[in-house]
Amino acid sequence: MTLPHDPHRQAALRRFSRRKLLGALGVAGAGVVLAACGDGTNEGVVSVDPADQANATDATETGVEQAQAQAELSVGLETEPLIWVEPREVLQGSSFLIAIDAPGAGFASVAFAGEVLSMRQEESRFFAVLGLDALTPVGPIPLIISVADGAGNPVVSRETLIDVQDSEWQTEVVELDDDNRALLDPNVIREDEETRGPFLRGQSAERFWTELFDLPVEGVITSGYGLLRSYNFRPPTEYHGGMDFAGASGDTIVAPAPGRVLWGGQTLRRGVGLLIDHGAGIVSGYYHMSDFAVQPGDFVQPGQFIGRVGATGLSTGPHLHWEIVVHGVTVNPVQWIRVSDFPDPAQDFEPINALPTPIRVQTQS
Ligand SMILES: [Zn+2]
């Protein structure tokens, strides 16, 4: 019988989470020491060495039970995993989905553009939504997917290329008065980024959205995402990171999808703003508002009143500037509204559209 505080079990759990971490870091072979840390109780120690492995099957009574418990964990995968990247055409400024069907898998991660993300698991489906900013260079970017079995052993690795296509952004001239022009100062931009930055990656691994988003206001779209902004006819120095809806001061803004309010506040650049975490890396932002009606920690439902249109911050008149951020990258909101055919992370995909068979990894067990 395994006691809740059995030290062998604790050690086994530590090994299990180390292997999970290995999966997150890509794929490591037997006995590879990725890092070392002097504190033996620290979960962050990620050395995997064969002696450590042998400890799992030591001959004490508890050790035998532990070995049996380990054997009950799924070792290897039940079937070859299928991996999809959808949509297959990926544009500058776009979001895209990595989906994996891998019965028996316990963990999956994706490495892309210098970052490693744990994929969200929903039954036997793993997924991650990734985003590209509007100025991502056109051309191929490598993407590496790693899958570990239920015992945490890395079993499959797949590398593919995301071939980023040109979105051919237009340039928009915006004429600013002196007050607004002062808000282009780098210190003002820094204040804005430092205030909102800590919240832009979201906090919830759980996915709250189950369908594409409603629009947050009724109003004509006056500027789309990605427009290169020329202020007062100077060469463009930045792109428009959201979608502008014309409105009157006081017009109602509603939550476009379920989520938890992360931040409500004000910056010189974006005025009164709000950030909502929709989970699994997706955050929406609302700016230049006159005020907001919800507080950080509140869970909002689609259609719920969250604030009012205003003209605070760098604004030439009352409007809502709406942003969608994917794991910290500001992307085109068009893919997130109901007119889009952006894939649902849980939907069925055709096996024929999956990436070619992944590489099997030689495991240490
Ligand atoms: Zn805007």
Side-chain angles (χ1 to χ4, degrees):
M1 184 174 165
T2 308
L3 299 170
H5 298 294
D6 182 339
H8 290 270
R9 180 171 162 75
Q10 295 301 322
L13 286 172
R14 239 181 347 260
R15 276 191 291 278
F16 179 67
S17 60
R18 284 174 194 172
R19 291 202 195 109
K20 279 197 167 187
L21 192 53
L22 283 177
L25 292 168
V27 175
V32 175
V33 177
L34 295 176
C37 158
D39 179 358
T41 62
N42 191 331
E43 289 273 319
V45 178
V46 288
S47 79
V48 173
D49 95 39
D52 197 22
Q53 283 283 302
N55 290 341
T57 54
D58 69 28
T60 65
E61 191 181 336
T62 318
V64 170
E65 283 179 9
Q66 188 54 62
Q68 285 166 347
Q70 287 237 327
E72 285 163 19
L73 292 169
S74 171
V75 175
L77 302 183
E78 291 162 26
T79 58
E80 199 66 52
L82 292 172
I83 302 173
W84 295 270
V85 177
E86 297 280 347
R88 273 164 287 167
E89 182 174 59
V90 177
L91 294 162
Q92 290 174 307
S94 74
S95 304
F96 59 102
L97 176 76
I98 313 296
I100 307 178
D101 280 351
F107 185 79
S109 66
V110 56
F112 181 71
E115 280 205 65
V116 181
L117 293 173
S118 295
M119 297 179 75
R120 170 85 185 148
Q121 183 174 12
E122 294 180 3
E123 298 175 359
S124 62
R125 165 69 53 85
F126 290 83
F127 75 89
V129 177
L130 300 178
L132 300 171
D133 81 32
L135 303 181
T136 303
V138 168
I141 302 178
L143 179 145
I144 300 167
I145 293 156
S146 302
V147 179
D149 67 15
N153 302 303
V155 285
V156 162
S157 171
R158 181 71 173 81
E159 180 165 350
T160 189
L161 292 173
I162 300 299
D163 193 18
V164 181
Q165 306 290 309
D166 192 343
S167 285
E168 298 175 1
W169 307 118
Q170 306 289 303
T171 297
E172 176 184 52
V173 175
V174 179
E175 294 189 58
L176 299 179
D177 59 22
D178 288 348
D179 284 350
N180 271 322
R181 202 158 54 221
L183 298 176
L184 297 177
D185 183 276
N187 288 324
V188 171
I189 294 171
R190 195 176 311 120
E191 180 249 5
D192 178 72
E193 289 174 351
E194 286 176 357
T195 304
R196 298 175 310 110
F199 302 96
L200 292 177
R201 289 178 161 273
Q203 290 173 348
S204 172
E206 184 185 347
R207 173 168 68 110
F208 300 133
W209 91 94
T210 52
E211 26 193 333
L212 291 173
F213 292 14
D214 297 320
L215 292 178
V217 283
E218 289 176 15
V220 175
I221 295 167
T222 50
S223 293
Y225 170 95
L227 289 166
L228 301 174
R229 282 276 168 90
S230 160
Y231 293 112
N232 298 353
F233 301 95
R234 297 206 178 121
T237 51
E238 58 184 37
Y239 70 94
H240 188 224
M243 192 181 258
D244 288 347
F245 297 87
S249 281
D251 280 359
T252 296
I253 303 168
V254 298
R260 193 173 302 284
V261 178
L262 274 180
W263 174 81
Q266 185 160 13
T267 74
L268 292 168
R269 177 71 185 263
R270 280 180 166 76
V272 175
L274 201 60
L275 288 167
I276 299 176
D277 184 5
H278 300 287
I282 313 302
V283 170
S284 60
Y286 308 77
Y287 302 108
H288 311 303
M289 304 163 84
S290 62
D291 57 7
F292 51 83
V294 287
Q295 296 300 325
D298 290 353
F299 196 91
V300 295
Q301 297 295 343
Q304 184 175 333
F305 170 54
I306 57 171
R308 295 189 185 280
V309 171
T312 54
L314 195 166
S315 175
T316 54
H319 74 287
L320 173 68
H321 174 94
W322 186 45
E323 292 186 359
I324 300 285
V325 184
V326 174
H327 293 293
V329 178
T330 307
V331 298
N332 195 341
V334 157
Q335 280 182 293
W336 287 90
I337 59 182
R338 288 184 190 280
V339 295
S340 157
D341 57 1
F342 192 74
D344 184 312
Q347 80 178 62
D348 290 329
F349 296 104
E350 294 292 338
I352 197 165
N353 292 330
L355 298 177
T357 306
I359 300 158
R360 286 247 154 227
V361 176
Q362 190 68 42
T363 65
Q364 55 198 323
S365 50

